[in-house]
Amino acid sequence: MISAAKRIRDFYALKPGAGIIQTEFGYYCLDKWKEQGFIDDKTNLGELFGHEDTGVAGFWGLGWCEASFYPAFEEIVLEDRGEYELVQDFSGRHVLYFKGRRNGFMPEYAGHPVKDMKTWEENCKWRMNPETPERYANMERDLNHSIERAKQGCWTQQSVVGGYMYLRSLMGPEDLLYKFYDEPELIHDCMKTWLELADRVIAEHQKYLTREGLHLEELFLAEDICYKNGPLISPDMIREFLFPYYTQLINNIKSRQTNKNLLLQIDTDGFAYPVIDLYREIGMGYMSPFEVASDCDVVEVGKKYPDLLIRGGIDKRVLASGRDAIDKMIDRIMPVMKKRGGYIPTSDHGVPEEVPFEDYLYFRKKMLEFKD
């Protein structure tokens, strides 16, 4: 077992006092730091900031913030609006971007591909056919790296776009809320299609793992079901429209491997407290990224749920507020959470460009004090 695998397994075992894994959620600040001359395209951020191999063997192919379409929509510019351009993206959404810039900011969505059952079937459903041969053509090649890491003891994690995030990418956040009431049969058909595709692809992944005497240890759902004040749909709606499909997928995964232990991780922005107990009903044991701007506090959560694995909880606003503020945040969170175990600190989303490079570097060096 490689050292990275040992460290991540200490995390999953909630080992008190275990060394804190050094990693980050992501960055929205890199262009700014390049303009300022602190980094360039050759800079190794991992070496610069002391990041390490997290010890996870990831299995993908089922979306992140959008449905896993095959084929994807053609990305085309629909309209030139001077400083901006309206683009059809790979998920069929109409998105208003800054001209020539696609990342580092929150895009504005002007339209989504699913308006009703007809547009769902014509635009999207066929793109999620689990029997499309091309979806599997290069799977063995694509999985080779993850399989080799799993053989070295790394933690095996299957990632899937969560049901709410998937539905939102199809219909848009506002129209989706109406659809739950007005067209529940459409929602269920979308979720049935989600399940069929996820189950089929994961079954293929499990075949490769089984050949090596390995198994999946975690199902990660990118859900984003909360906002500033709590969940975007009610607990009853979550139980009706999401949980039956999640439960079936979990049961199917377990049925295909001898080790029946399967950890469920839920990733959601916003105020997550109201859904912690809800998702624990279907076996959630890991949650991320605990957005501090929405009043999430990993110390508080860690005390209330001592068996819950936690990732995130570093306030990106504090990273932009100077070194004294950074020190206070670290001193309040890190000694407690390291003693508890089961915590990986990252920014509660991508590091924004308001964070000065020198202060972020200071933050990373301070975090290295908790590595061992």
Side-chain angles (χ1 to χ4, degrees):
M1 182 179 292
I2 61 174
S3 60
K6 174 64 167 61
R7 286 172 64 77
I8 196 65
R9 290 187 179 278
D10 284 346
F11 160 76
Y12 279 103
L14 285 142
K15 181 178 178 181
I20 296 292
I21 292 172
Q22 305 291 309
T23 188
E24 186 52 274
F25 188 109
Y27 298 95
Y28 294 136
C29 51
L30 299 183
D31 287 343
K32 186 80 167 184
W33 290 350
K34 288 177 183 178
E35 291 174 9
Q36 295 171 338
F38 292 112
I39 62 173
D40 57 33
D41 291 336
K42 297 180 180 179
T43 302
N44 186 317
L45 295 179
E47 291 182 3
L48 179 64
F49 296 137
H51 295 167
E52 59 184 309
D53 179 352
T54 59
V56 172
F59 292 79
W60 299 86
L62 287 166
W64 172 245
C65 296
E66 305 85 12
S68 179
F69 290 149
Y70 195 96
F73 281 82
E74 182 183 3
E75 296 190 43
I76 54 176
V77 176
L78 300 170
E79 186 180 335
D80 188 321
R81 298 188 181 180
E83 289 185 60
Y84 310 99
E85 54 189 7
L86 187 66
V87 177
Q88 175 180 280
D89 74 3
F90 65 97
S91 291
R93 298 170 296 192
H94 293 181
V95 192
L96 193 63
Y97 290 115
F98 292 108
K99 188 174 289 185
R101 186 179 178 194
R102 295 286 190 268
N103 300 301
F105 60 93
M106 185 67 71
E108 180 178 338
Y109 295 99
H112 291 75
V114 176
K115 312 296 183 186
D116 48 30
M117 187 67 79
K118 182 175 184 291
T119 51
W120 157 241
E121 292 176 345
E122 290 180 351
N123 295 337
C124 298
K125 186 174 182 178
W126 63 275
R127 298 177 189 271
M128 298 180 67
N129 181 357
E131 300 307 323
T132 301
E134 292 83 359
R135 193 179 285 274
Y136 308 96
N138 298 313
M139 181 171 283
E140 184 167 6
R141 180 200 67 189
D142 294 342
L143 293 183
N144 183 60
H145 178 66
S146 294
I147 295 293
E148 288 304 310
R149 285 176 59 76
K151 289 163 66 174
Q152 295 173 324
C154 291
W155 184 266
T156 53
Q157 179 190 81
Q158 173 68 60
S159 296
V160 186
V161 61
Y164 176 79
M165 184 108 80
Y166 154 75
L167 293 168
R168 188 179 70 189
S169 75
L170 296 176
M171 304 173 202
E174 182 177 349
D175 198 29
L176 173 60
L177 299 181
Y178 287 99
K179 291 289 192 285
F180 282 115
Y181 289 97
D182 298 338
E183 299 181 62
E185 69 283 354
L186 171 61
I187 301 296
H188 280 298
D189 197 57
C190 291
M191 287 305 301
K192 181 182 177 183
T193 303
W194 173 92
L195 172 61
E196 290 172 349
L197 177 61
D199 191 47
R200 177 73 171 81
V201 171
I202 294 172
E204 288 299 309
H205 291 174
Q206 288 181 278
K207 288 180 183 178
Y208 289 98
L209 285 162
T210 300
R211 289 177 194 173
E212 303 294 339
L214 302 165
H215 61 276
L216 281 175
E217 297 171 282
E218 179 181 338
L219 176 65
F220 171 98
L221 295 179
E223 188 75 289
D224 269 10
I225 200 163
C226 297
Y227 75 118
K228 170 69 175 174
N229 295 317
L232 288 152
I233 59 176
S234 73
D236 285 346
M237 295 172 82
I238 292 171
R239 291 189 182 100
E240 177 181 354
F241 292 104
L242 303 183
F243 279 8
Y245 304 96
Y246 292 171
T247 300
Q248 188 63 60
L249 181 62
I250 291 166
N251 289 341
N252 289 358
I253 293 171
K254 289 180 178 180
S255 73
R256 292 189 290 260
Q257 53 190 40
T258 55
N259 189 316
K260 305 303 181 183
N261 296 320
L262 184 71
L263 180 72
L264 175 63
Q265 180 182 170
I266 298 295
D267 170 271
T268 180
D269 295 335
F271 184 55
Y273 289 11
V275 300
I276 293 177
D277 287 328
L278 183 64
Y279 278 91
R280 281 164 71 90
E281 291 177 9
I282 59 168
M284 182 190 74
Y286 186 177
M287 182 170 264
S288 59
F290 291 99
E291 187 177 5
V292 188
S294 294
D295 298 323
C296 292
D297 183 339
V298 291
V299 174
E300 183 178 279
V301 172
K303 289 178 180 177
K304 184 174 182 180
Y305 300 96
D307 60 339
L308 181 67
L309 295 158
I310 295 171
R311 181 184 179 111
I314 297 298
D315 193 339
K316 53 187 174 289
R317 300 167 303 173
V318 170
L319 296 178
S321 299
R323 298 186 183 188
D324 288 344
I326 291 171
D327 285 342
K328 289 178 182 177
M329 176 177 64
I330 291 174
D331 291 344
R332 187 184 72 82
I333 294 174
M334 293 309 303
V336 174
M337 295 304 287
K338 182 174 181 181
K339 182 179 180 181
R340 172 192 182 270
Y343 177 55
I344 296 178
T346 70
S347 175
D348 52 12
H349 219 286
V351 178
E353 64 179 23
E354 291 83 2
V355 176
F357 172 83
E358 298 98 324
D359 287 356
Y360 184 75
L361 186 60
Y362 173 82
F363 164 72
R364 294 300 339 164
K365 289 181 177 178
K366 293 285 289 186
M367 294 300 286
L368 285 172
E369 297 174 9
F370 299 91
K371 181 176 181 178
D372 300 313

